[in-house]
Amino acid sequence: MLSVRNLHVTLGNRQILKGVDFDLKDGESLVILGCSGTGKSVLLKSILGLIPKQYGKIVVDGIDIDQVHKDERSKILSSIGMLFQGGALFDSLPVWENVAFGLIYGRGMKLQDAKEIAIDKLTLVDLDKQIALLYPPALSGGMLKRVGLARALASMPRIIFFDEPTTGLDPITSNIVNDLIVKYVKHSDLGAITITHDLTCLRKIADTVAFLFDGKIIWTGSIQGMDCTENPYVRQFIDAIPIGPLTTKKHLK
Amino acid sequence: MLTYIGRHTLAFCDSCGRYIIFLYNVFINGLRPPYYWKQMMCQLMDVGFCSLPVIGLTSIFTGAVLALQSYTGFSRFSAESALPMLVVLCITRELGPVIAGLMFAGRVGATMAAEIGTMKVMEQIDALSTLSTCCYRFLYWPRILAGLLTLPLLVFICDIIGVFGGFLVSVYQLDFNAVQYIKMTVQFLQAEDIISGLIKAAFFGLSTALTGCFQGACSLGGAAGVGHATRNTVVMSSITIFFLNYLLTTIIFSK
């Protein structure tokens, strides 16, 4: 479904990704763990072409996106949806238009048809129809995430990226968001990549876990594998130990 | 010292390069369909119609002050009768476009930079791309076209308001004859005076909108980055307006 090989990304003078490799299979939910600043969000954005990569290969459904025309590449990448960390909703548009945005402006769907789909998606993420007419500043953090999820699902993606879906939410709202992700990812053919620090979220939604450190994926496995791994980096992260290989002076610099 | 000069030269070249790439992308993408008419109309309304009160007020006071100041100067050598001619020429050729352009840079350019900059730091521009929408067509092109089209219209209206401001002061404060004043204004005014001002306004509007969009699109690092982009837009647009005013005056009136 999605294959990333030897992905290198540099921002300014700093090399963020130094050769990332992974595969995402149909219907698989991959969770990428890692400390803050290790390039997890950069990884997702570089796959989507939002941040230019230095080199590396990104293959979606067997097609190398660098080998096709720009329009074809946009079409391929439009099959990937994304839930941004802060929701990234457009403040000047009502909620329904935010959800229907990709359908109206990206695919040229009629306003009324798109509105019906948007309201349908809002209902699917357990939001009331009344919310549809509100504007994003009037919504709580949990509602923003759910509207963001509805927007990502509205364009019927085949792969969906979640950038820290539960960050900044209370435990109950986090759980609701996690349940929604499980509902739409684990119970469908949708492939998903989630970035999170939240181990509760990880245990709920992950089929496979990958650990990103120093610009590379240094460990991959299942949740069970993660619990009994001897990898010192992963161990330090999941046991939340302040001193260890992740936080040596060399890497703190 | 050499390091300092080298660093700033490289930064300047980098900015120029990014601006050229931005211009290329704006025009290549903006001219291709789909066209977002709703966005276009919203921008025409916001950039044009909503700027009218502030620019109109500035013009009426500019015209009024110009009449007062000129009257004082002209009265020293008994040339008060030239006042209507001076007011209309100054307003249509220079003060109308420049004052309106500066107000436009402060109101519209700053708004564009702040709005786009906030969208950038809040990942909303990234979100546009993931929703199959080109930010150049959806965000920048309507704003740039609105800047290009509305400032000449605003300047035309402001020319009338500015001249009217001069007329009010001349007639009610300086005891000019109203009919005589209007007659002299119309007699000395030529189409070239108005058109030259409108041409300048089109350039000012275009450069302000481009600067606002570019600075917004380049803003980094949260609220400070957006503030920086907004400040840069106002400063750079204002300087560009003065530079373009000199350049266009030289070209238009050099015949």
Side-chain angles (χ1 to χ4, degrees):
Chain A
M1 190 175 225
L2 173 69
S3 179
V4 174
R5 290 284 170 270
N6 199 26
L7 184 65
H8 285 68
V9 175
T10 301
L11 293 179
N13 295 325
R14 203 172 147 223
Q15 180 134 35
I16 308 292
L17 301 179
K18 301 171 184 172
V20 171
D21 298 281
F22 69 83
D23 291 302
L24 178 76
K25 299 186 198 85
D26 275 333
E28 184 184 12
S29 174
L30 169 70
V31 173
I32 299 177
L33 280 181
C35 299
S36 299
T38 47
K40 301 186 295 298
S41 297
V42 171
L43 170 60
L44 294 190
K45 288 183 179 178
S46 61
I47 294 171
L48 288 166
L50 302 173
I51 293 176
K53 62 181 194 294
Q54 214 177 351
Y55 52 90
K57 197 169 162 184
I58 297 165
V59 179
V60 181
D61 290 330
I63 303 167
D64 183 344
I65 60 167
D66 290 323
Q67 302 299 320
V68 291
H69 186 263
K70 193 182 158 194
D71 293 340
E72 180 67 18
R73 182 163 62 239
S74 301
K75 203 174 163 189
I76 293 167
L77 292 176
S78 71
S79 67
I80 303 177
M82 180 150 176
L83 171 60
F84 287 85
Q85 194 173 342
L89 301 179
F90 308 117
D91 295 341
S92 56
L93 301 177
V95 163
W96 76 264
E97 209 173 335
N98 264 287
V99 176
F101 192 94
L103 303 173
I104 299 168
Y105 300 104
R107 297 188 187 172
M109 189 182 277
K110 281 183 185 167
L111 220 60
Q112 197 52 42
D113 296 343
K115 189 172 183 178
E116 280 170 21
I117 292 173
I119 291 174
D120 185 42
K121 295 294 174 192
L122 285 171
T123 317
L124 287 176
V125 294
D126 300 334
L127 285 173
D128 197 273
K129 282 182 185 175
Q130 312 288 328
I131 298 282
L133 298 175
L134 297 178
Y135 283 80
L139 305 182
S140 68
M143 284 174 167
L144 288 175
K145 293 272 186 185
R146 279 189 273 174
V147 174
L149 179 60
R151 182 173 71 179
L153 291 169
S155 49
M156 302 288 192
R158 294 200 53 238
I159 303 169
I160 190 160
F161 293 169
F162 298 101
D163 190 356
E164 304 200 17
T166 55
T167 300
L169 302 180
D170 65 76
I172 298 166
T173 315
S174 294
N175 221 10
I176 293 169
V177 172
N178 285 337
D179 287 341
L180 286 169
I181 293 173
V182 171
K183 187 173 160 188
Y184 292 105
V185 173
K186 290 193 96 173
H187 300 162
S188 70
D189 280 343
L190 211 65
I193 300 178
T194 307
I195 281 172
T196 187
H197 300 118
D198 180 354
L199 295 179
T200 315
C201 168
L202 172 136
R203 290 181 192 285
K204 266 202 161 175
I205 66 178
D207 294 322
T208 311
V209 183
F211 194 85
L212 186 69
F213 178 69
D214 199 23
K216 287 179 181 174
I217 288 183
I218 56 162
W219 184 88
T220 310
S222 62
I223 295 176
Q224 293 76 17
M226 183 186 80
D227 285 335
C228 53
T229 182
E230 293 299 316
N231 184 302
Y233 297 96
V234 182
R235 271 272 56 95
Q236 187 194 350
F237 189 87
I238 58 173
D239 295 338
I241 302 165
I243 297 166
L246 292 175
T247 48
T248 54
K249 277 185 181 172
K250 182 187 161 200
H251 294 116
L252 279 175
K253 273 181 190 173
Chain B
M1 186 65 184
L2 269 177
T3 316
Y4 177 84
I5 294 168
R7 193 186 306 130
H8 282 80
T9 309
L10 283 176
F12 176 74
C13 293
D14 179 56
S15 292
C16 290
R18 281 189 291 134
Y19 190 62
I20 290 166
I21 293 169
F22 178 80
L23 281 182
Y24 172 81
N25 282 327
V26 162
F27 287 99
I28 285 291
N29 289 295
L31 292 169
R32 286 170 58 196
Y35 305 111
Y36 297 108
W37 298 111
K38 189 184 160 194
Q39 288 300 308
M40 189 69 225
M41 294 312 291
C42 286
Q43 288 304 319
L44 285 174
M45 186 59 97
D46 187 39
V47 167
F49 184 73
C50 296
S51 299
L52 191 54
V54 67
I55 296 180
L57 271 175
T58 317
S59 296
I60 199 162
F61 289 120
T62 306
V65 170
L66 181 66
L68 271 179
Q69 289 280 23
S70 308
Y71 182 80
T72 318
F74 283 157
S75 61
R76 288 178 190 165
F77 42 94
S78 305
E80 294 94 334
S81 59
L83 182 72
M85 179 190 71
L86 180 97
V87 169
V88 76
L89 287 187
C90 281
I91 292 283
T92 52
R93 282 187 176 202
E94 284 302 320
L95 291 177
V98 172
I99 299 280
L102 291 175
M103 294 306 289
F104 194 79
R107 185 189 178 274
V108 175
T111 306
M112 284 180 185
E115 197 177 355
I116 293 170
T118 307
M119 288 185 78
K120 174 90 188 297
V121 299
M122 301 286 280
E123 297 182 309
Q124 290 173 21
I125 294 182
D126 288 343
L128 273 180
S129 300
T130 65
L131 295 166
S132 313
T133 309
C134 173
C135 60
Y136 290 98
R137 279 178 216 143
F138 187 81
L139 272 187
Y140 309 137
W141 187 243
R143 282 168 173 77
I144 289 161
L145 269 190
L148 175 71
L149 297 176
T150 56
L151 193 55
L153 286 174
L154 284 169
V155 165
F156 183 71
I157 296 167
C158 289
D159 284 349
I160 298 168
I161 297 173
V163 171
F164 181 65
F167 169 82
L168 283 181
V169 167
S170 304
V171 172
Y172 293 103
Q173 205 174 332
L174 306 173
D175 294 327
F176 270 76
N177 178 285
V179 177
Q180 197 64 25
Y181 188 97
I182 295 169
K183 220 175 180 179
M184 285 187 73
T185 300
V186 175
Q187 189 185 339
F188 284 105
L189 185 66
Q190 292 179 357
E192 185 193 59
D193 302 322
I194 298 172
I195 292 166
S196 66
L198 301 186
I199 292 170
K200 284 179 180 180
F203 278 92
F204 298 165
L206 179 67
S207 72
T208 299
L210 278 170
T211 308
C213 290
F214 175 69
Q215 289 293 334
C218 292
S219 56
L220 292 168
V226 176
H228 190 73
T230 310
R231 184 193 61 203
N232 278 356
T233 300
V234 176
V235 172
M236 286 174 64
S237 300
S238 305
I239 293 170
T240 311
I241 284 170
F242 287 117
F243 171 71
L244 282 175
N245 186 40
Y246 168 74
L247 194 72
L248 291 168
T249 305
T250 310
I251 295 168
I252 296 169
F253 296 106
S254 63
K255 294 171 209 166

